[in-house]
């Protein structure tokens, strides 16, 4: 996640999955070229590539996390082409901020999670990342913004 805006009363973090969008664009371009250059039945492969690229674009979200001291709100927003999911929580209800580690196919993945007093857990991003230092940097920025050092528990 990247810091979009940082003021004493507002912290906005945003994640755009550029790699997935580039993959979708390249798949669409390949499908378009195959569709134009080749005849049946090979042009069906081009149509298939275009459909896959459309699905990639449709399901890759833009994720925004807004911490607002003036409203005492944490807003987690996931926008896709056809849908938008918004979660609102009180900032004072944050119990811990932690980095969850997952091992998948021999590779370590990291994901920042907000744990609330109610027991609800929310992730800042839908997808985990292998960049450990970036996740620790995000946790530090959130902790510094909230000005409460005891909120962060990192395993």
């Amino acid at each position: 996640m990247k810091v979009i805006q940082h003021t004493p009363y507002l912290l906005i973090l945003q994640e755009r999955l550029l790699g997935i969008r580039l993959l979708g664009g390249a798949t669409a371009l390949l499908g378009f070229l195959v569709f134009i250059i080749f005849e049946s039945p090979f042009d069906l492969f081009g149509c298939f590539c275009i459909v896959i690229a459309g699905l990639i674009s449709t399901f890759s979200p833009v994720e925004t996390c807004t911490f607002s001291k003036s409203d005492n709100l944490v807003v987690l927003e996931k926008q896709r082409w056809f849908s938008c999911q918004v979660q609102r929580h009180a900032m004072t209800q944050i119990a811990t901020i932690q980095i969850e580690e997952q091992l998948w196919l021999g590779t370590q993945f990291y994901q920042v999670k907000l744990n609330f007093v109610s027991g609800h857990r929310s992730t800042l991003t839908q997808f985990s990342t292998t960049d450990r230092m970036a996740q620790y940097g995000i946790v530090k920025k959130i902790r510094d913004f909230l000005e409460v050092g005891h909120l962060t528990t990192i395993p």
Side-chain angles (χ1 to χ4, degrees), residues 39-102:
E39 293 181 11
S40 184
F42 296 110
D43 62 347
L44 293 177
F45 177 72
C47 292
F48 177 74
C49 287
I50 292 170
V51 167
I52 293 297
L55 290 173
I56 288 172
S57 295
T58 301
F59 292 114
S60 65
V62 174
E63 299 167 325
T64 307
C65 181
T66 305
F67 292 88
S68 175
K69 285 184 181 176
S70 59
D71 297 332
N72 188 32
L73 277 178
V74 176
V75 180
L76 301 169
E77 186 176 3
K78 292 179 171 86
Q79 292 180 328
R80 294 182 177 89
W81 274 18
F82 302 115
S83 69
C84 181
Q85 295 175 335
V86 179
Q87 295 179 11
R88 288 180 170 82
H89 304 281
M91 269 191 346
T92 55
Q93 296 299 309
I94 297 174
T96 59
I97 302 168
Q98 71 183 74
I99 296 177
E100 186 172 273
E101 298 179 7
Q102 302 164 348

